[in-house]
Amino acid sequence: MRGVGETSGEPASGTDGDSVVTSGEAAVQAGPRRILAIAVPTLGVLVAEPVYLLWDMAVVGRLGALALAGLAVGGLVLAQVSTQLTFLSYGTTARAARRHGSGDERGAVIEGVQASWIGVGIGVVILVVIQALAGPITRAIAGGDEIAGRAESWVRIALFGVPLILLAMAGNGWMRGVQQTRRPLLYVVAGLALSGVLCPVLVHGLLGAPRLELEGSAIANLAGQLVSGVLFVRALLRSHVPLVPHIEIMKAQLVLGRDLIVRSLSFQACFVSAAAVAARFGAASVAAHQLVLQLWNFLSLTLDSLAIAAQTLVGAALGAGNARGAQGLARRITGWSTVFAVVLAALFAAGHSVIPQLFTSDPAVLDRTQVAWWFFVAIIPIGGVVFALDGVLLGAGDAAFLRNATLGSALLGFLPMIWLSLAYDWGIGGIWTGLVAFLLLRLIAVCWRALSGRWARVGAEVPGRMA
């Protein structure tokens, strides 16, 4: 990797195989090849964890329904205490990208150091607090002592991985900001590969190992997280920057993080409410809703990879003082994301009768799935625009606006339609109408903001609150 502080107007080839663009002007000129070089490894990072979780479930599922239920409850607890802190990746990317674009490689990596301190600090607090409350929390979710007992034993082990999870988020954030995306993918895959091997060995006692059952799953998770965390720390150490905490930088990161946390919580409120209402319409409706929603979540991750590329490149362009170039990037990447989304929508429209049958053969579920399917197809192109512009605005540090836009869209569109669907028995169609309204309102908001140009504020520092 090019040493910290060394800059060049030309891309440099890093020791890890990444092509490192060290100039905001070079970022502005990024074509499809450069954008895909960022987006494809990022997609790998985004989908690696969900793929591993499916493997974990398959391994634990052989222990029986009780163990699987314990894993489901325990996994929910772990997810809720960690995924709300995604600002450690998205916020750090925005700040590091600006530093990188201005030629301040050292400052970009220091953003990663400070985000890592925040991640470890918050992770330790979460570890202590949830260890103290693990019993009541698992009992409240599980609704029964037997499942709660299994979940609690899993959670108590898995919680030691929370600081490591947050450390990896921070690592992904700063490395995306300096446009190194292959190494984070290797670090994440290395950890998950170890977990994937250890999981069946420890759960079922293979190769002479003790049969630890559900606790073996938690230990396998922890081992993989330790590997990834150590690799991200090693990357910081090799960058030769000071590792001391800087309170002012951390304060600025936490201000940006606050807006992103509120935004994330609004998403959680919407989708938890949707699941709760779908459950009131019967097992077939909730199963169909979950099936289509999981497909939507997968496509969201795919489109998010382009959004992260937009975030990285726009941040670098603004850091270099090139607002016009950042606006051009925004238009270009949004156009490509929209075309890609339209192609995906056409594929899923063509597969409307085939794709659902890959997941279920239940006639009632398939019938309900067809109701949601066409709403799902309709919102894919909308998502192509919205997610790309989300990335643009995140790259600009415009988190306060995104927070307000998401909250407003949830309160005016998604949540009213969900609860009206319950009150008037509109069924799954009403729920997905709410999701369409949510996306349309966000589309209007982010398009207006993008066209206004108010987000394109230049400089190495992420501007203060812009909403």
Side-chain angles (χ1 to χ4, degrees):
M1 187 176 70
R2 187 177 294 271
V4 174
E6 293 182 38
T7 60
S8 165
E10 297 297 321
S13 180
T15 58
D16 61 350
D18 264 318
S19 176
V20 182
V21 176
T22 55
S23 164
E25 291 304 317
V28 168
Q29 301 301 321
R33 184 176 178 182
R34 182 62 200 161
I35 290 168
L36 289 176
I38 297 173
V40 172
T42 298
L43 177 61
V45 171
L46 293 173
V47 302
E49 181 74 15
V51 169
Y52 171 74
L53 292 177
L54 291 174
W55 169 248
D56 195 12
M57 288 178 61
V59 171
V60 171
R62 294 182 178 275
L63 297 175
L66 182 60
L68 193 57
L71 177 63
V73 172
L76 178 63
V77 173
L78 187 66
Q80 291 305 308
V81 300
S82 58
T83 56
Q84 302 306 322
L85 299 171
T86 53
F87 78 88
L88 288 168
S89 55
Y90 291 98
T92 304
T93 296
R95 293 181 59 84
R98 281 189 178 251
R99 295 285 188 188
H100 172 72
S102 70
D104 183 10
E105 296 295 299
R106 184 182 181 87
V109 181
I110 287 174
E111 292 287 347
V113 172
Q114 304 314 309
S116 298
W117 278 116
I118 293 172
V120 171
I122 293 176
V124 170
V125 171
I126 290 172
L127 170 61
V128 172
V129 172
I130 305 301
Q131 284 285 3
L133 300 174
I137 290 173
T138 52
R139 285 194 294 273
I141 296 173
D145 289 340
E146 196 173 16
I147 294 175
R150 302 300 298 275
E152 183 180 345
S153 64
W154 188 93
V155 165
R156 289 195 181 280
I157 298 169
L159 277 172
F160 286 97
V162 171
L164 300 167
I165 293 170
L166 301 185
L167 187 62
M169 285 184 184
N172 269 293
W174 76 262
M175 294 185 87
R176 288 172 186 166
V178 299
Q179 298 179 33
Q180 295 186 42
T181 53
R182 293 182 188 173
R183 283 203 294 165
L185 175 60
L186 293 175
Y187 296 168
V188 170
V189 169
L192 291 177
L194 177 63
S195 295
V197 171
L198 286 179
C199 189
V201 170
L202 296 178
V203 170
H204 298 292
L206 305 178
L207 304 176
R211 181 182 171 90
L212 300 178
E213 298 196 346
L214 187 56
E215 289 76 8
S217 163
I219 294 171
N221 273 267
L222 184 57
Q225 289 153 3
L226 180 60
V227 168
S228 294
V230 167
L231 289 171
F232 279 112
V233 170
R234 180 172 172 266
L236 286 175
L237 292 172
R238 291 181 63 189
S239 298
H240 305 297
V241 299
L243 300 182
V244 295
H246 287 278
I247 301 301
E248 291 304 314
I249 296 177
M250 287 193 278
K251 281 182 180 178
Q253 290 180 345
L254 288 170
V255 169
L256 186 61
R258 177 192 59 200
D259 293 329
L260 294 177
I261 288 172
V262 172
R263 181 172 180 261
S264 178
L265 288 173
S266 67
F267 283 121
Q268 293 290 331
C270 287
F271 288 107
V272 169
S273 297
V277 171
R280 269 65 175 181
F281 295 131
S285 288
V286 72
H289 170 71
Q290 200 62 25
L291 189 160
V292 181
L293 186 62
Q294 288 306 311
L295 289 171
W296 168 246
N297 287 340
F298 179 77
L299 288 188
S300 297
L301 291 175
T302 304
L303 295 171
D304 257 351
S305 64
L306 282 172
I308 290 171
Q311 182 186 4
T312 299
L313 295 168
V314 165
L318 293 175
N322 192 338
R324 179 170 293 182
Q327 291 170 329
L329 268 171
R331 290 190 296 270
R332 196 157 66 245
I333 297 178
T334 301
W336 292 337
S337 180
T338 304
V339 170
F340 180 46
V342 169
V343 172
L344 289 174
L347 291 173
F348 278 91
H352 72 95
S353 62
V354 177
I355 297 174
Q357 295 184 50
L358 299 175
F359 300 94
T360 182
S361 58
D362 187 295
V365 175
L366 289 171
D367 178 67
R368 296 291 83 201
T369 297
Q370 288 302 309
V371 175
W373 195 262
W374 298 106
F375 292 98
F376 162 61
V377 169
I379 62 174
I380 296 173
I382 301 173
V385 179
V386 171
F387 297 160
L389 290 178
D390 276 355
V392 168
L393 298 179
L394 280 172
D398 204 3
F401 174 81
L402 286 173
R403 176 204 64 200
N404 294 340
T406 305
L407 276 172
S409 300
L411 293 173
L412 296 175
F414 205 162
L415 290 173
M417 285 301 303
I418 288 171
W419 295 110
L420 284 171
S421 296
L422 179 62
Y424 292 100
D425 197 28
W426 290 340
I428 193 172
I431 295 171
W432 279 80
T433 300
L435 182 55
V436 172
F438 181 57
L439 264 293
L440 284 173
L441 288 171
R442 287 173 61 199
L443 175 69
I444 293 168
V446 295
C447 285
W448 171 81
R449 186 66 166 185
L451 292 171
S452 75
R454 293 176 58 190
W455 55 274
R457 298 187 184 180
V458 299
E461 285 282 351
V462 171
R465 296 163 63 83
M466 292 195 288

